[in-house]
Amino acid sequence: MVSPSPLRIVALLFPDVTQLDLTGPAQVFSRLPDTEVHLAWHDTRPVVTDCGWSIVPTTTLADCPQADVLFVPGGKGAFDLFDDKVALDFLRRQAAGASWVTSVCTGSFTLAAAGLLTGRRATSHWSALPMLAELGAIPTSERVVIDGNRITGAGVTSGIDFALVLAARIFGDDVAKRVQLRLEYDPAPPFDAGSPATADPELVAATIGRVDEARLQAVRRAAARLGESAR
């Protein structure tokens, strides 16, 4: 299997990113052969994550090299990006030259707001997944969804699965399996509560209730802008 040399993975870093959406896949990426990982934002000052501590970008949106793999993690800040024209234009430009356009969790909403998932099957965190339809995507409740050169991962921890699937697509199954073994990725959760299909229904309902109205309104404003640009 032939891959670019080096393989350039560009991840969009932004305030209030869910750090595991980014760092889970990044740990897999760091073990891939001849691979560069670039963390891009408006400037190179530390960016505060949802955990309260910061990650330092490695490049700016203006100086970032062309991605072979474009990657958008999720988090509260993914919805704030809907109003960031510079960031959305960056994603569109990078996607035009990338072999793979990818996301984890609610990062799929940012891709969709940029018009990059229109008519595509995609997944996201289960609590927000149905709202993807407002942005022209086809919500698909699977751990990892592949539609053409778009690969989306579901919520948070799904990012590791996503990254291994991507690794297998680019470098082959053997490389992906070696990385999985080195990371000892062998999940054995203490509770059967990691999916709305198995969790307590009251807990599921309460979690959905925390998806606030402001988020839905942000999605609808982004959908209106997409409709205007399509005319």
Side-chain angles (χ1 to χ4, degrees):
M1 190 167 297
V2 178
S3 63
S5 182
L7 179 75
R8 291 191 175 93
I9 300 177
V10 171
L12 183 64
L13 177 58
F14 50 84
D16 279 328
V17 66
T18 295
Q19 65 81 20
L20 190 56
D21 286 1
L22 173 63
T23 56
Q27 188 65 57
V28 174
F29 298 157
S30 72
R31 301 298 179 95
L32 298 178
D34 200 15
T35 295
E36 301 174 355
V37 180
H38 301 269
L39 307 181
W41 185 231
H42 289 290
D43 53 54
T44 55
R45 289 176 293 184
V47 174
V48 180
T49 73
D50 68 333
C51 291
W53 43 263
S54 298
I55 296 175
V56 180
T58 62
T59 187
T60 65
L61 302 183
D63 295 335
C64 186
Q66 173 59 51
D68 299 304
V69 177
L70 178 63
F71 169 55
V72 183
K76 176 182 177 298
F79 294 85
D80 296 334
L81 289 171
F82 293 177
D83 296 316
D84 189 333
K85 184 178 184 302
V86 173
L88 293 183
D89 284 346
F90 169 81
L91 292 178
R92 295 183 189 108
R93 289 195 309 273
Q94 286 281 341
S99 297
W100 297 97
V101 178
T102 72
S103 67
V104 165
C105 199
T106 53
S108 57
F109 281 85
T110 307
L111 288 181
L116 298 173
L117 290 180
T118 304
R120 304 270 191 163
R121 297 170 64 249
T123 191
S124 190
H125 192 280
W126 63 267
S127 64
L129 179 61
M131 287 195 294
L132 267 180
E134 302 255 2
L135 293 170
I138 303 169
T140 306
S141 183
E142 296 173 13
R143 187 96 169 149
V144 180
V145 173
I146 303 174
D147 188 330
N149 73 334
R150 270 51 168 176
I151 306 182
T152 53
V156 193
T157 60
S158 305
I160 299 175
D161 300 57
F162 145 77
L164 290 170
V165 168
L166 177 67
R169 286 285 172 136
I170 298 173
F171 293 102
D173 289 358
D174 288 345
V175 168
K177 288 176 182 179
R178 284 198 296 272
V179 172
Q180 181 177 354
L181 179 59
R182 290 181 65 191
L183 297 181
E184 198 175 352
Y185 181 54
D186 185 25
F191 307 107
D192 191 13
S195 161
T198 57
D200 185 301
E202 291 185 3
L203 180 59
V204 172
T207 302
I208 292 175
R210 287 196 290 271
V211 176
D212 55 42
E213 182 68 16
R215 182 173 290 188
L216 178 58
Q217 292 307 313
V219 168
R220 287 179 174 167
R221 287 194 300 272
R225 283 193 292 270
L226 281 177
E228 291 168 1
S229 64
R231 288 200 289 269

